[in-house]
Amino acid sequence: MKKYLQKITVGALILCFLCTGCASKSRVHHSMDTAMGTIINQTIYVSGGMGTAETISGEILSCIETLEKEQLSWRLESSLLYQVNASAGSSEAFPLGSLLGEVLEQCKKVYAASDGAFDFSIGRVARLWNIDEWAAVNGDGESISFVPPTDAQLAEALAFVGGDRSVVEGEYVRLPKGMQLDLGAVGKGIALDEIKKLLEQREEVTGAVISVGGSILTYGSKPEGGTWNVGIVNPHDTAQSLGTLRLTGQWCISTSGDYERFIEVDGIRYHHILDPRTGHPADSGIRSVTILTKDGLLSDALSTACFVLGVEEGLALAEQFQAQALLVDTQGDIHMTTGMEQYFYLSNSEK
Ligand code: AMP
Ligand code: MG
């Protein structure tokens, strides 16, 4: 692990990727859409014609929409997660299907390894903070009358939180009464895993970079060669880039930052990454965490967990999963796993 003592003048983690020179125009397709409550950017290189790239881009978008509607949304009655939550307290185990069964198995692993810093059963507490509402309203530039939950309300909700009390057996789950799952911390990463499977079935795709909010998938290569350059936003000045990850082939990159969703009330700034021990926004001295792994769900779960844990424990957790991590603290210092150093280029540095 290496600590960069240099003060950051530019940068947190971004969801933006920099395409250094593009291939022949007829073989690359760019698009920007919204789905899963966030922005979806796609760049797809194909060996066939433009029609093919556009079709695949449409398939990816509907894959994300279907995932949200049928599996992951806590809010839509049509989703499996909604029905799982409705089953809490039942003595009957609820059938999950293979996707959600696998997702919850993985979530339990990260829950256990992070000592509950990543807790997929945080739903009751997350609802009290009304995070989705901040995003919608802040996005319109308006303010809402938001009253933070009281300690008593948080304590009451925390009694229903604790991922180890959910029972996952194969493709079945049983939740204790009152528990509500929330997959907001991993949804975008799960989307990347599903997109990766889709791309693998389309042999005409030679390369792609897809961002789903703060999670990015790189796949294949650019026709002209060179690296995928994924920019990381400076959390201390989100208009600026902190640096770039230079990558080849398939990777998943997820960032959790306190600038992504927040609200200010009476001069106090509340962000969306919650500490399951207190129910309050995590206060671990971190402004953003970027995780680099091959797996989307893991990158997304770890970015949230490391944010809650802080520098020392966060770096150790990432290494436990053979993932690379880059954390920016409240002082502007950068902390990385040793393996991250070969990929990260600080802005304005040649290395
Ligand atoms: P992310 O931006 O990936 O870090 O995910 C944050 C979202 O995950 C929040 O909007 C909540 O819905 C949920 N969340 C917040 N804190 C946690 C936590 N400690 N563990 C699991 N999910 C969380
Ligand atoms: Mg996450």
Side-chain angles (χ1 to χ4, degrees), residues 101-111 118 297-298:
E102 175 67 16
V103 162
L104 290 189
E105 282 289 346
Q106 296 297 326
C107 285
K108 285 205 101 165
K109 280 186 194 149
V110 181
Y111 170 87
F118 163 78
L297 185 155
L298 185 63

Side-chain angles (χ1 to χ4, degrees), residues 184-186 254 256 299-301 303-304:
V186 284
S254 288
S256 290
S299 67
D300 209 357
S303 69
T304 307

Side-chain angles (χ1 to χ4, degrees), residues 47 84 208 252-253 320:
S47 53
V84 168
C252 290
I253 307 102
Q320 198 179 324

Side-chain angles (χ1 to χ4, degrees), residues 201 220 297 302:
Q201 288 163 10
L297 185 155
L302 288 178

Side-chain angles (χ1 to χ4, degrees), residues 36 40-44 56-57 59-65 67 99 187-202 205 208-213 215-219 250 252 296:
M36 246 186 193
I40 317 292
N41 270 300
Q42 303 189 47
T43 297
I44 300 181
I56 293 168
S57 160
E59 286 172 356
I60 288 172
L61 193 61
S62 57
C63 165
I64 299 168
E65 287 166 347
L67 188 64
L99 189 141
K188 298 172 183 73
I190 296 167
L192 297 189
D193 290 332
E194 292 304 299
I195 294 166
K196 185 169 70 181
K197 286 184 210 158
L198 194 153
L199 291 175
E200 281 164 357
Q201 288 163 10
R202 302 287 183 277
V205 177
V209 182
I210 319 277
S211 70
V212 182
S215 291
I216 300 166
L217 169 74
T218 65
Y219 179 88
Q250 192 267 301
C252 290

